[in-house]
């Protein structure tokens, strides 16, 4: 039975990935900070899908938490680096410690977990990594956008290094997805039109399809594909001003 490890596994996009992978017959390793929530989710997955479910409590904003995942990930077939969060205020209003925590979760953890997982996959000549970035990676909107842009570039670079090995690395760039991410980050999303929201299960289905097709970057939904193209074509100063006026804080 193939095995997948998902960070940020108990809510939102991470939970949607877990449910889909368990339904597809993967054993799953759930990584998150809340032990009680992990155990509850694990019980429901075992009951619903009859697959092995392992719980790994780890805070990826800490060195110890990242190390725990590094030590576990060597034998898995698929890694989904999904853990992440947003900030409640703009850069000048946010504590440096909070910004550094974001960089550790979005960048350092992704780098270290990917690096720990790949040797085993390369030896077995199968498997892969999905690094969850954001469509915000294509815009200039604070540390969140900058960190997600790093995820895209990092994933692209590693993908080229493992090309032809049977192993694939992909960046996933979702737009607005109905999860608790925004509420937990204290973000006001009242001004976001209903037409821009995506469903988590639909997003994950598109992401897995793109991964199987060996896409470099997955941007599910034509609306966000269009936004990503425009971000590349329009002058950066203009896109930066548009992003700054968008209103949401990351």
């Amino acid at each position: 039975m193939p095995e997948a490890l998902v960070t940020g596994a108990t809510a939102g996009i991470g939970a949607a990935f877990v449910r889909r992978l368990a339904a597809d017959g993967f054993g799953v390793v759930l990584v998150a900070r809340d032990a009680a929530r992990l155990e509850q989710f694990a019980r429901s997955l075992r009951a619903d899908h009859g697959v092995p479910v392992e719980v790994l409590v780890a805070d990826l904003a800490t060195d110890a938490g990242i190390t725990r995942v590094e030590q576990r990930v060597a034998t898995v077939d698929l890694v989904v680096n999904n853990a992440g969060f947003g900030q409640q205020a703009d850069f000048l209003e946010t504590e440096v410690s909070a910004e550094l925590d974001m960089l550790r979760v979005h960048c350092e953890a992704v780098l270290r977990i990917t690096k720990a997982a790949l040797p085993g996959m390369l030896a077995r000549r199968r498997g892969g990594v999905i690094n969850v970035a954001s469509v915000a990676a294509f815009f200039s909107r604070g540390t969140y956008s900058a960190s997600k842009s790093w995820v895209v570039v990092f994933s692209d670079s590693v993908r080229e290094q493992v090309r032809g090995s049977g192993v694939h690395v992909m960046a996933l760039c979702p737009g607005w997805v109905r999860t608790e991410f925004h509420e937990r980050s204290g973000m006001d999303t009242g001004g976001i039109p209903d037409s821009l929201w995506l469903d988590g299960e639909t997003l994950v289905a598109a992401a897995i399809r793109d991964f199987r097709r060996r896409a470099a970057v997955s941007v599910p939904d034509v609306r966000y594909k269009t936004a990503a193209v425009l971000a590349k074509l329009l002058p950066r100063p203009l896109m930066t001003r548009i992003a700054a006026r968008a209103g949401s804080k990351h």
Side-chain angles (χ1 to χ4, degrees), residues 234-247:
L234 295 177
R236 178 171 284 275
L238 173 60
M239 294 309 302
T240 300
R241 287 196 295 273
I242 292 172
R245 293 171 183 170

Side-chain angles (χ1 to χ4, degrees), residues 63-80:
D63 181 71
I66 299 174
T67 299
R68 291 199 71 193
V69 181
E70 285 180 304
Q71 292 171 342
R72 175 61 183 85
V73 80
T75 59
V76 305
D77 300 286
L78 176 67
V79 174
V80 181

